[in-house]
C-alpha cells in the first residue's frame, strides 16, 4: 500500500509541476485512474483501491498528515509549528497525538495551499495569507522569518454557518442580548465588534449581517473573503489583493472602502480594520451609510476607542478632539467578545455618546457577570432619538 501510494504521489506530482493550472477535479480523476491501473495489476481488491485513492487524494489535494483534523467538523483551527501539530476545539487548544510532520511534508501542505489559492510563498516572500473556496483561511510563515521552521495556521469555518440560536445554545450570549443586537441592526445602528483573535468576531458579524432587510444593498470588504451572508440577494463582495512578485497591483482595504462609496451601498461591512482605513470606515458611516458594521482587535470597548484614535492618527495631522468627534458621530454601539475560561462569550455591549468636553463616553448596556458566568443587562439605550429609531425599525 505505501509503495503504491508513493508511486501515485510521484507520478501525479510530476504532472502538477508541468501543469500548474490543472483543476482539483482533473487531478482527482488522474489519481483514481492511476490507482485502478496499479491495483488491477498488483492487488485486485476494490476496498484497497478505494483506500489508496482516498490516501492519495488526502496527500495530493488535501492537507496530508493533518487531513483527519481538517475533516473533523468540531475542530476550528489547526496549527503547525515547525512540525508539531496543535488544534483548537471548543475554544481550547490541544496538542495532537500524531507524530511530528517532517519539513518535506509541511512544504507539501504549503504547496497544496498555494496551488489552490493562487498565492505565492518563498524565501523572498516568506509570509502569505490564503483563502480557499470553502472559506478556509490559511496563514503561512517560512524561514528565516519563522526561526524554528515553517508555521502554518489553518482557520476552518463550519460548512453551515452558525445561526443566532447556535450562539445562544453555546453560551456565547443570551437570547435577550442577541434580540437586542438584531433589533439594533435592523434599526440601522452603526456597530463595531472588538475582541482578540479567534473570539468569534466574524461569527457574530455574519449572524447580524444575515438580518439585513430584503430591500437593502450590502457591500462587504475583507482581506480574505470569509463572510457567508446567504440571506441577502443584493450583495457585492470585495476582497483585497496583495502585491505581485514585482511589488505592484496591490488593492488594500482603503481602496475598497473608497470604491464601495460609488457602488450605491445601503450598508458597508468591513471584515476588519487594522490601520489608516479606520478613518475611511468612520467617514463612510458618517456619510449616510447607516447600519454599517466592522470589527477590530481590542480587549474591551474602552480599549477599542483608544485603538481607533491611534489608527486614525497614524500618519495624519488631525486634532485628537476631531478624531473623537468622528468616532462618536459614526459609531453607535460597541460589542466586545472575550474568552473567559477559554469559552467565547460576549462580555460587554456599550453605547457611545459625547461628553461636553468632547471625550467619548461609554454607556454600558450588557456586561458579563463572572460570578454568574453569564451576560446580564446593566442599562439601556439613553438617547431618545435612538429609542424612536428602535421603536419604528
Amino acid at each position: 500500500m505505501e509503495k503504491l501510494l508513493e508511486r501515485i504521489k510521484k507520478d501525479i506530482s510530476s504532472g502538477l509541476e508541468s501543469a500548474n493550472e490543472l483543476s482539483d477535479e482533473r487531478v482527482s480523476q488522474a489519481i483514481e485512474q492511476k490507482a485502478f491501473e496499479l491495483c488491477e495489476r498488483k492487488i485486485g481488491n476494490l476496498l484497497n483501491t478505494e483506500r489508496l485513492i482516498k490516501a492519495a487524494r488526502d496527500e495530493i489535494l488535501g492537507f496530508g498528515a493533518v487531513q483527519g483534523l481538517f475533516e473533523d467538523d468540531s475542530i476550528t483551527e489547526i496549527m503547525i509549528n515547525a512540525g508539531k501539530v496543535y488544534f483548537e476545539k471548543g475554544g481550547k487548544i490541544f496538542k495532537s497525538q500524531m507524530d511530528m510532520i517532517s519539513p518535506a511534508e509541511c512544504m507539501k501542505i504549503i504547496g497544496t495551499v498555494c496551488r489552490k489559492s493562487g498565492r505565492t510563498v518563498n524565501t523572498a516572500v516568506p509570509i502569505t495569507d490564503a483563502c480557499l473556496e470553502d472559506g478556509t483561511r490559511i496563514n503561512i510563515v517560512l524561514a528565516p522569518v519563522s526561526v524554528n521552521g515553517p508555521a502554518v495556521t489553518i482557520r476552518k469555518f463550519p460548512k453551515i454557518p452558525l445561526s443566532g440560536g447556535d450562539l445562544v445554545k453555546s453560551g456565547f450570549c443570551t437570547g435577550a442580548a442577541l434580540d437586542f443586537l438584531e433589533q439594533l441592526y435592523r434599526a440601522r445602528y452603526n456597530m463595531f465588534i472588538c475582541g482578540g483573535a479567534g473570539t468569534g468576531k466574524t461569527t457574530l458579524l455574519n449572524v447580524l449581517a444575515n438580518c439585513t432587510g430584503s430591500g437593502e444593498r450590502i457591500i462587504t470588504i475583507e482581506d480574505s473573503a470569509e463572510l457567508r451572508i446567504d440571506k441577502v440577494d443584493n450583495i457585492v463582495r470585495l476582497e483585497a489583493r496583495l502585491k505581485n512578485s514585482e511589488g505592484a497591483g496591490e488593492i488594500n482595504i482603503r481602496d475598497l472602502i473608497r470604491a464601495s462609496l460609488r457602488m450605491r451601498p445601503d450598508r458597508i461591512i468591513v471584515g476588519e480594520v487594522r490601520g489608516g482605513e479606520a478613518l475611511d470606515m468612520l467617514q463612510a458611516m458618517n456619510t449616510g451609510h447607516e447600519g454599517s458594521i466592522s470589527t477590530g482587535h481590542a480587549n474591551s470597548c474602552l480599549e477599542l476607542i483608544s485603538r481607533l484614535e491611534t489608527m486614525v492618527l497614524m500618519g495624519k495631522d488631525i486634532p485628537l478632539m476631531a478624531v473623537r468627534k468622528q468616532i462618536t458621530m459614526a459609531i453607535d454601539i460597541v460589542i466586545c467578545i472575550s474568552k473567559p475560561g477559554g469559552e467565547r462569550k460576549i462580555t460587554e455591549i456599550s453605547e457611545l455618546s459625547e461628553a461636553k468636553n468632547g471625550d467619548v463616553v461609554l454607556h454600558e448596556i450588557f456586561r458579563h457577570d463572572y460570578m454568574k458566568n453569564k451576560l446580564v443587562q446593566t442599562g439601556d439605550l439613553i438617547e431618545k432619538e435612538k429609542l424612536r429609531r428602535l421603536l419604528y425599525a
Side-chain angles (χ1 to χ4, degrees), residues 185 188-192 205 219 265-270 281 284-285 288-294 330 332:
Y185 183 82
R188 302 183 64 80
Y189 280 53
N190 289 331
M191 298 192 221
F192 209 103
L205 175 54
I219 311 293
D266 288 307
R267 301 178 190 258
I268 299 173
I269 296 179
V270 180
M281 184 64 200
M285 288 178 167
H289 303 98
E290 293 183 320
S292 295
I293 188 166
S294 185
D332 299 313

Side-chain angles (χ1 to χ4, degrees), residues 138-328:
I138 302 166
N139 173 265
I140 301 169
V141 184
L142 300 183
V145 176
S146 180
V147 178
N148 295 328
V152 181
T153 308
I154 303 171
R155 170 76 64 85
K156 294 169 52 189
F157 292 91
K159 295 175 182 177
I160 301 175
L162 295 177
S163 65
D166 294 327
L167 297 186
V168 174
K169 287 178 185 177
S170 68
F172 183 88
C173 64
T174 61
L178 182 65
D179 289 344
F180 176 75
L181 291 176
E182 289 182 345
Q183 209 172 7
L184 290 178
Y185 183 82
R186 292 190 181 98
R188 302 183 64 80
Y189 280 53
N190 289 331
M191 298 192 221
F192 209 103
I193 303 170
C194 68
T199 52
K201 299 185 296 296
T202 302
T203 300
L204 178 60
L205 175 54
N206 213 72
V207 168
L208 293 176
N210 274 298
C211 296
T212 302
S214 58
E216 295 179 300
R217 175 176 170 84
I218 289 183
I219 311 293
T220 68
I221 298 168
E222 302 174 82
D223 271 329
S224 297
E226 58 189 59
L227 287 170
R228 298 174 68 181
I229 306 171
D230 52 11
K231 295 181 181 178
V232 180
D233 289 330
N234 196 349
I235 181 170
V236 177
R237 304 176 66 202
L238 304 179
E239 183 179 33
R241 187 174 69 186
L242 299 176
K243 297 176 183 177
N244 59 25
S245 56
E246 285 77 37
E250 179 185 22
I251 299 175
N252 58 35
I253 297 295
R254 300 196 73 171
D255 297 328
L256 295 178
I257 292 176
R258 290 167 184 166
S260 72
L261 297 176
R262 298 188 292 271
M263 301 174 72
R264 201 265 175 223
D266 288 307
R267 301 178 190 258
I268 299 173
I269 296 179
V270 180
E272 184 177 332
V273 294
R274 301 190 187 95
E277 67 270 11
L279 177 59
D280 299 277
M281 184 64 200
L282 293 175
Q283 290 176 335
M285 288 178 167
N286 274 325
T287 53
H289 303 98
E290 293 183 320
S292 295
I293 188 166
S294 185
T295 78
H297 287 275
N299 295 318
S300 68
C301 294
L302 183 62
E303 184 180 314
L304 173 70
I305 304 305
S306 178
R307 286 213 65 202
L308 281 173
E309 291 172 356
T310 302
M311 287 188 284
V312 171
L313 289 169
M314 289 170 62
K316 296 284 191 306
D317 186 17
I318 306 174
L320 179 58
M321 297 310 293
V323 174
R324 289 176 176 170
K325 185 77 173 178
Q326 282 277 346
I327 291 172
T328 53

